[in-house]
Amino acid sequence: GAVVSQHPSWVICKSGTSVKIECRSLDFQATTMFWYRQFPKQSLMLMATSNEGSKATYEQGVEKDKFLINHASLTLSTLTVTSAHPEDSSFYICSARKGHGRTEAFFGQGTRLTVV
Amino acid sequence: KNEVEQSPQNLTAQEGEFITINCSYSVGISALHWLQQHPGGGIVSLFMLSSGKKKHGRLIATINIQEKHSSLHITASHPRDSAVYICAPVSGGGADGLTFGKGTHLIIQP
């Protein structure tokens, strides 16, 4: 299978600061990556689609100015949580697919964000 | 919208037991993922299948597209199999095409 690496695996930050999370496809190129958020005992919820070389597409209810996504290369997408608040504390995870279409999805290890 | 139901929600079994987790969905799909989420949160894709059966080690996944049903089986279960197992049908809806089940929390006791 393919490898998707996410960093950091956990982070604690103060309210009002920004946190950047990286998602890398290590052995394949991904024109599209997806960012999810998961609250305790809940399903994964799609936040946004990260498109290489163009703007991200956000799901309804997700603030694009708060969750900045950059997909500068075919192997790296970043999610920046700006002006973090305690309610942003959650588990964030990315996924990527090889090729185009509904091929198999590969997930990163996830990032546990705690805002204090 | 694809409604995904997994059963059981929670399962505790003894080491060595044969485990079955079921997934049913409401909308026709092209394929289905079975995912494993470890206690730390990381997710591993176990299978993506669109018909019949796939086997990998002690894991077997089956799908019946007409019946809108899939099962994940674990043979000779081991404590290290303890995790949350999530089925995620691939359908046309949503940017990623995935609808996630709520997961089955499996605990294998030694």
Side-chain angles (χ1 to χ4, degrees):
Chain A
V3 179
V4 175
S5 176
Q6 193 172 333
H7 177 81
S9 56
W10 61 271
V11 58
I12 301 173
C13 72
K14 291 185 178 180
S15 289
T17 61
S18 295
V19 173
K20 181 186 285 188
I21 302 169
E22 293 186 348
C23 180
R24 294 180 185 272
S25 55
L26 296 186
D27 53 356
F28 67 101
Q29 293 182 331
T31 55
T32 303
M33 292 184 176
F34 302 96
W35 287 97
Y36 300 87
R37 181 167 51 183
Q38 184 182 35
F39 290 106
K41 300 192 183 301
Q42 299 292 316
S43 302
L44 282 81
M45 295 297 296
L46 179 65
M47 298 176 66
T49 302
S50 174
N51 304 298
E52 188 268 335
S54 65
K55 291 183 180 180
T57 308
Y58 291 83
E59 295 299 299
Q60 192 172 13
V62 178
E63 299 175 59
K64 63 181 181 182
D65 294 329
K66 179 169 186 60
F67 299 100
L68 301 180
I69 291 173
N70 184 276
H71 196 149
S73 77
L74 287 170
T75 58
L76 174 63
S77 174
T78 60
L79 168 68
T80 302
V81 182
T82 63
S83 188
H85 285 267
E87 56 263 32
D88 297 324
S89 299
S90 186
F91 186 71
Y92 295 86
I93 192 164
C94 68
S95 77
R97 287 190 166 102
K98 290 182 178 179
H100 300 279
R102 308 291 196 213
T103 56
E104 186 172 3
F106 299 95
F107 290 82
Q109 303 95 318
T111 298
R112 175 81 54 196
L113 171 64
T114 302
V115 184
V116 298
Chain B
K1 182 185 174 185
N2 208 345
E3 302 290 336
V4 181
E5 293 286 337
Q6 276 187 243
S7 63
Q9 292 184 6
N10 298 282
L11 177 59
T12 299
Q14 294 298 121
E15 183 174 357
E17 286 189 39
F18 181 81
I19 304 298
T20 295
I21 299 170
N22 295 300
C23 175
S24 60
Y25 48 91
S26 60
V27 175
I29 63 171
S30 58
L32 181 143
H33 280 273
W34 278 102
L35 309 171
Q36 180 191 53
Q37 185 167 30
H38 290 283
I43 291 178
V44 175
S45 177
L46 299 174
F47 297 102
M48 180 177 170
L49 68 166
S50 55
S51 65
K53 179 168 74 173
K54 281 191 174 181
K55 184 175 188 292
H56 185 253
R58 295 180 294 105
L59 301 177
I60 303 167
T62 63
I63 190 168
N64 186 320
I65 292 288
Q66 289 74 26
E67 297 284 322
K68 297 186 177 65
H69 182 269
S70 177
S71 293
L72 176 69
H73 306 284
I74 305 175
T75 62
S77 59
H78 190 276
R80 64 175 175 266
D81 297 325
S82 299
V84 177
Y85 292 84
I86 302 167
C87 80
V90 183
S91 58
D96 61 344
L98 296 175
T99 304
F100 295 93
K102 291 186 177 179
T104 294
H105 190 185
L106 174 66
I107 297 174
I108 303 296
Q109 295 178 333

